[in-house]
Amino acid sequence: MTAAEYAQTLQLKPVVPATATVSGGDSQRKWRHLLLKDFTFFYVSGELTYASQSTKKRMDYIHCRGGIVLPAYDPELVTHIIVDTANPDKPDAGVTLRTLGLKKLSDIPDHVPTVKWKWVNSAKLVPNGDRAGNFRIVEDGNGGHVTVRMDWEFMHSAFVARVHAGKGFKNTGGNEKDKGKGKPKAKTTAQRKEGENSEEEDNDSAEDISDISCACRLIGSVVGVRLIFVCSRNFTQDAPSPPPSAKETTPAVNQTKSVQSEREIPFISDPLGEFEALAKEEKKAEGFLCDAPNSNSLTSECPNQDIVDKLEELMELHRAKPTEEDKWRVYSYSKSIRKIRTYPHRITSYEEARNIPGVGDKTALKIKEILETGELRRIDIEYTEDLDVVHLFQGIYGVGQHIAYMWYSAGCRTLDDIRERKNGIKVSDVQEIGLKYYDDINTRMPRAEAGEIFTAIKRTAVSIDPHLYVEIMGSYRRGKATCGDIDILITRPTDDGNSHEGVLASLLSALQREGIIRENLSMPDFKDDPLEAVYRGLCVRPLREGEGHDTKRLVHILTVPYKSRGAALIYYTGDDIFNRSLRLKANKMGYSLNQRGLFAGVVRSTENKMIKTCDGHIIASETEQEIFRILGVPWQEPWERVRS
DNA sequence: TCGCAGAGCCA
DNA sequence: TGGCTC
DNA sequence: GCGA
Ligand SMILES: O=c1ccn([C@H]2C[C@H](O)[C@@H](COP(=O)(O)OP(=O)(O)OP(=O)(O)O)O2)c(=O)[nH]1
Ligand SMILES: [Mg+2]
């Protein structure tokens, strides 16, 4: 949807005062919905067609702080124009004028400042009576008032030519008066209802219910319905090495020789200098998940199993939902659940739960409820009627939260509805395949079958180039008893002057000829680097005498430059939770880790996105060990990296 | 109040 | 760019 | 939802 459309949907949404669950002290948050009250914005994102996620996020930001975002520029109503075009440091005047439908900057009324996003950010609640700087008094709708201070507009003026606009530039006086004058005629939003500020909040039963992820309902219907059309379109040594026993329900695994074939140099030299510095970092960061393998206690009984079950159930409900909120809730629950699962004795009180790091107020309350009633009402609340269907759809490979909700709001309820393209929904090629092999794809294979398929693929690969390094990764390398797919890493030493360029393409056609590969899900793209790409497809195990079954299995092949093999091994061995933790730790230490290597000096554009301002320089990538070492993470064998 | 990992491929 | 997947 |  366009920015204008999004702004419109926001106007329909009530501004919920963030008071629920906030106990008295947190006034910044409690009065959040007043911070931008009485301001009416027009937001220039520079986006021609659809509003990007960051635009929506910023509109939400304004909205939940009580500001109004106009869907269309109206010089009569607007109090501020926010210029937030591509480069935050260099607002684009041309784009701005085009968006406003004006010819020159001076056509904007003088009392309407053009500010950068940063200005919006500067709103802060200050104690009543604090009259420093650019403050305003805002009525709280209850007969009281609060004081909000912001930077002066000119400090964040988007255009030099207009620094004078708004107040505060020349004479820094006259706050209160301005407030009156600058006020919008604000009938726009049907004036937020008065009474609603009053919920000074109380009992803890109201607690949970306030923060419910209702957003998804809104999005589900508002966005979803509209989208139907759119969519229609030293440590190495001393690592504690308990035998790879029980962990991930592993059969005897040790024979997985593999990794040793690439002899990774232990590299114990130069112990101290950098490590000491790093070790300190480590403790201050309060322990990363990647730092220690799961304790053996996992194998024993969990005294809090009932709690774990309920929280997991709730987490899974959130996992199916489409909003960012839900996503981070899942992240959070997964951490707290992991802690609770390894907690050595029965939790008996709110306080005890609360003392577990990762368990906050909300989760502790939920635990309390489970202890007292054996139930968790929040589960019934989040278990909305759409969930079963949406969950079914999400089982289709290539269908995630958003598509599932779109289809649901388009009226689809069964897989057959999808097959029939009921109500004109669009189904991509990949989803078509996902639909066709719904059951196969959702069935994990025995470890042995993964090994069998891998052996066949490796044989073919090596026959193309005997110098190839071909390894099976993922859950197989971690020793799991069943595998969701077959993950294969391919690279090749370059010391003889050759590389694996072109190998993947040959390999794929060979495997197709052999009848091992049956469907392609995504094809490698070598445009950036001929040595680095990804393939995904469906395969079956090599033909065997008189056996008719050919369950399709997901196969995932990754090729990387030989230099990146250490980083790639880490990435592709996982598990995913381990990786995220390791990468998080790298970040906290000022590094950045990806499947290509460990980098220093990476700078990401603050508050805009995934664009790297500075690429940084690589400091390790060839062996897993050197990366672990630099990050101060004790060496862990693949089967010790299980975190989920 | 903010960040929570980082990237490849498709539409 | 957004959605999905690894 | 949690922690810094
Ligand atoms: O979000 C993700 C997903 C995966 N990976 C890495 C770790 C993982 O181990 C590997 C392979 O992914 P896959 O989805 O195959 O997971 P798996 O660990 O192999 O488990 P499964 O048995 O379900 O395939 O890619 C990530 O870094 N992030
Ligand atoms: Mg796998």
Side-chain angles (χ1 to χ4, degrees):
Chain A
M1 73 171 71
T2 64
E5 290 168 322
Y6 191 74
Q8 203 134 34
T9 69
L10 278 186
Q11 300 207 343
L12 305 175
K13 275 207 266 191
V15 178
V16 299
T19 62
T21 81
V22 178
S23 32
D26 195 349
S27 51
Q28 281 292 348
R29 173 147 177 198
K30 183 163 159 192
W31 301 115
R32 193 177 64 175
H33 62 294
L34 298 177
L35 285 177
L36 298 174
K37 188 157 174 280
D38 300 332
F39 286 142
T40 303
F41 300 95
F42 184 71
Y43 186 96
V44 179
S45 68
E47 290 151 345
L48 300 173
T49 53
Y50 301 127
S52 69
Q53 281 173 161
S54 86
T55 298
K56 291 179 187 169
K57 239 164 100 177
R58 291 183 169 185
M59 289 188 177
D60 287 339
Y61 182 99
I62 292 169
H63 180 254
C64 73
R65 281 163 182 72
I68 296 167
V69 186
L70 293 175
Y73 174 64
D74 181 344
E76 292 297 307
L77 297 177
V78 73
T79 61
H80 294 77
I81 296 169
I82 300 166
V83 181
D84 198 26
T85 47
N87 181 344
D89 299 323
K90 255 188 50 198
D92 189 324
V95 167
T96 306
L97 288 172
R98 230 174 301 131
T99 312
L100 299 176
L102 300 175
K103 290 246 162 20
K104 34 195 202 328
L105 286 177
S106 55
D107 292 341
I108 303 170
D110 270 356
H111 67 276
V112 179
T114 36
V115 292
K116 299 186 213 171
W117 174 256
K118 205 145 192 293
W119 177 78
V120 179
N121 260 334
S122 70
K124 297 244 170 354
L125 190 74
V126 296
N128 280 331
D130 182 341
R131 316 227 135 187
N134 179 29
F135 69 92
R136 357 179 256 133
I137 312 286
V138 181
E139 291 153 21
D140 68 5
N142 258 346
H145 65 273
V146 297
T147 308
V148 177
R149 179 154 68 227
M150 310 185 67
D151 290 347
W152 296 104
E153 282 90 340
F154 70 82
M155 295 166 66
H156 301 287
S157 177
F159 310 112
V160 195
R162 301 197 75 256
V163 283
H164 62 278
K167 58 193 159 68
F169 181 53
K170 279 188 182 127
N171 62 353
T172 21
N175 277 297
E176 269 108 346
K177 289 166 290 178
D178 284 19
K179 174 186 160 199
K181 142 188 154 196
K183 214 163 184 167
K185 346 253 154 134
K187 48 187 169 249
T188 337
T189 50
Q191 290 298 32
R192 289 172 287 289
K193 300 176 309 225
E194 313 294 7
E196 70 191 7
N197 291 337
S198 56
E199 64 192 62
E200 186 53 60
E201 172 272 341
D202 37 13
N203 57 11
D204 53 332
S205 67
E207 167 259 337
D208 249 3
I209 297 171
S210 56
D211 264 354
I212 291 163
S213 49
C214 58
C216 89
R217 253 159 283 204
L218 265 168
I219 294 201
S221 47
V222 176
V223 173
V225 167
R226 147 179 324 285
L227 282 190
I228 294 162
F229 307 112
V230 171
C231 167
S232 85
R233 37 175 214 19
N234 96 25
F235 343 125
T236 311
Q237 265 63 8
D238 62 60
S241 42
S245 61
K247 282 304 142 47
E248 203 166 315
T249 61
T250 312
V253 168
N254 262 334
Q255 320 93 304
T256 4
K257 32 78 222 208
S258 62
V259 183
Q260 278 75 336
S261 66
E262 179 204 344
R263 38 155 234 279
E264 295 173 349
I265 323 121
F267 198 30
I268 314 133
S269 62
D270 154 52
L272 282 84
E274 54 187 321
F275 180 64
E276 267 171 0
L278 302 178
K280 285 177 203 138
E281 286 284 345
E282 183 183 1
K283 101 170 56 156
K284 135 169 143 208
E286 208 255 70
F288 292 88
L289 203 59
C290 59
D291 281 332
N294 279 336
S295 65
N296 294 359
S297 66
L298 247 183
T299 59
S300 57
E301 285 280 295
C302 169
N304 298 294
Q305 193 59 45
D306 54 335
I307 296 173
V308 168
D309 289 344
K310 289 280 186 234
L311 291 178
E312 258 179 344
E313 194 179 343
L314 182 56
M315 177 173 74
E316 290 314 314
L317 299 182
H318 282 294
R319 195 190 296 282
K321 306 194 182 225
T323 68
E324 286 279 289
E325 257 189 323
D326 290 302
K327 172 175 150 185
W328 296 123
R329 263 192 269 245
V330 170
Y331 179 88
S332 187
Y333 281 134
S334 75
K335 291 192 127 183
S336 46
I337 289 172
R338 193 159 36 240
K339 287 305 204 53
I340 295 166
R341 186 178 284 129
T342 56
Y343 193 74
H345 33 259
R346 179 74 179 165
I347 300 169
T348 58
S349 68
Y350 170 90
E351 282 74 24
E352 187 175 3
R354 193 54 241 266
N355 279 335
I356 303 174
V359 177
D361 175 54
K362 308 284 196 64
T363 303
L365 282 172
K366 292 181 177 71
I367 291 175
K368 174 166 168 265
E369 183 184 336
I370 297 169
L371 289 178
E372 287 168 359
T373 70
E375 300 294 320
L376 186 52
R377 287 162 303 159
R378 181 66 176 266
I379 290 178
D380 304 311
I381 295 168
E382 297 291 349
Y383 188 58
T384 42
E385 61 174 10
D386 46 30
L387 262 183
D388 285 329
V389 170
V390 151
H391 204 238
L392 175 77
F393 291 166
Q394 288 173 353
I396 302 171
Y397 189 92
V399 177
Q401 292 107 136
H402 290 91
I403 308 267
Y405 270 98
M406 284 195 309
W407 287 350
Y408 183 88
S409 53
C412 298
R413 295 294 182 272
T414 67
L415 293 184
D416 279 329
D417 289 345
I418 306 300
R419 292 195 181 95
E420 293 161 14
R421 309 293 195 273
K422 183 166 174 191
N423 299 326
I425 59 162
K426 272 281 184 272
V427 179
S428 75
D429 295 354
V430 164
Q431 289 157 357
E432 186 69 52
I433 297 173
L435 207 48
K436 185 164 170 194
Y437 301 108
Y438 190 95
D439 292 327
D440 284 4
I441 292 178
N442 287 298
T443 310
R444 300 178 65 86
M445 77 195 95
R447 176 182 179 77
E449 183 176 343
E452 198 178 323
I453 294 172
F454 168 69
T455 304
I457 293 177
K458 177 168 181 174
R459 187 189 308 121
T460 304
V462 170
S463 77
I464 293 170
D465 178 347
H467 294 100
L468 290 181
Y469 170 99
V470 184
E471 278 308 328
I472 182 165
M473 310 291 296
S475 48
Y476 189 99
R477 188 181 186 223
R478 294 198 309 275
K480 256 199 122 171
T482 65
C483 301
D485 62 3
I486 300 134
D487 301 296
I488 299 174
L489 177 68
I490 297 180
T491 185
R492 184 193 191 283
T494 50
D495 41 24
D496 64 356
N498 292 316
S499 74
H500 57 273
E501 181 166 349
V503 163
L504 184 52
S506 320
L507 176 62
L508 294 177
S509 21
L511 292 173
Q512 222 135 26
R513 277 196 303 277
E514 294 178 59
I516 289 185
I517 285 186
R518 299 300 182 86
E519 303 276 1
N520 296 325
L521 293 168
S522 78
M523 297 303 287
D525 170 16
F526 295 98
K527 283 183 185 60
D528 283 352
D529 182 341
L531 300 181
E532 186 182 343
V534 170
Y535 168 83
R536 292 178 311 178
L538 293 184
C539 66
V540 294
R541 61 168 141 185
L543 291 175
R544 298 153 303 132
E545 294 297 316
E547 183 55 60
H549 110 126
D550 57 344
T551 307
K552 308 293 179 296
R553 305 298 189 185
L554 275 166
V555 59
H556 183 219
I557 305 179
L558 184 69
T559 71
V560 299
Y562 195 63
K563 283 241 172 227
S564 306
R565 67 194 180 283
L569 279 165
I570 290 180
Y571 158 67
Y572 217 16
T573 299
D575 61 21
D576 51 348
I577 304 297
F578 178 87
N579 286 354
R580 291 171 68 172
S581 169
L582 196 66
R583 289 172 180 204
L584 183 63
K585 181 169 190 189
N587 279 346
K588 302 272 183 198
M589 294 172 66
Y591 301 120
S592 174
L593 175 67
N594 61 24
Q595 65 272 38
R596 295 195 265 276
L598 182 63
F599 297 80
V602 174
V603 186
R604 301 191 108 90
S605 162
T606 41
E607 187 56 69
N608 208 337
K609 259 196 176 159
M610 315 160 77
I611 43 178
K612 281 189 223 170
T613 315
C614 176
D615 279 359
H617 56 279
I618 195 160
I619 59 177
S621 68
E622 296 203 42
T623 70
E624 295 185 280
Q625 275 83 352
E626 67 175 326
I627 293 171
F628 274 66
R629 184 182 59 78
I630 295 170
L631 294 178
V633 175
W635 172 252
Q636 291 159 71
E637 296 296 338
W639 52 87
E640 296 173 314
R641 303 180 200 171
V642 179
R643 296 294 184 278
S644 53

